[in-house]
Amino acid sequence: MTNRPAGDLYRRYMAAFDAAQRHVRTCEACQPGQACTTGAPLDERLTRLQAAWIEHLGTRRS
Ligand SMILES: [Zn+2]
């Protein structure tokens, strides 16, 4: 089995999480609940991947 879309999704989710966290930690323009122009797309991507991941978990209930 080389086809593992779930693992790929999780890896992208974690990468997006890392990128967003790293940005917020070092950025002085980001405010709580109000990301700067660099942070906003990172935030957006994280939100989208998080939703996809949660949906994946929800559809996998055993
Ligand atoms: Zn920022």
Side-chain angles (χ1 to χ4, degrees):
M1 290 288 170
T2 53
N3 187 20
R4 294 182 57 198
D8 184 56
L9 175 62
Y10 186 72
R11 207 162 49 234
R12 280 186 295 148
Y13 168 37
M14 282 295 111
F17 185 81
D18 270 2
Q21 288 291 301
R22 209 174 319 131
H23 173 82
V24 166
R25 258 202 308 272
T26 56
C27 181
E28 292 179 1
C30 278
Q31 307 280 321
Q34 181 75 56
C36 73
T37 51
T38 306
L42 294 174
D43 245 31
E44 212 170 280
R45 194 172 59 157
L46 174 58
T47 301
R48 212 169 40 237
L49 284 166
Q50 189 175 43
W53 179 246
I54 286 168
E55 192 184 317
H56 167 76
L57 293 181
T59 56
R60 208 188 50 166
R61 70 163 59 133
S62 48

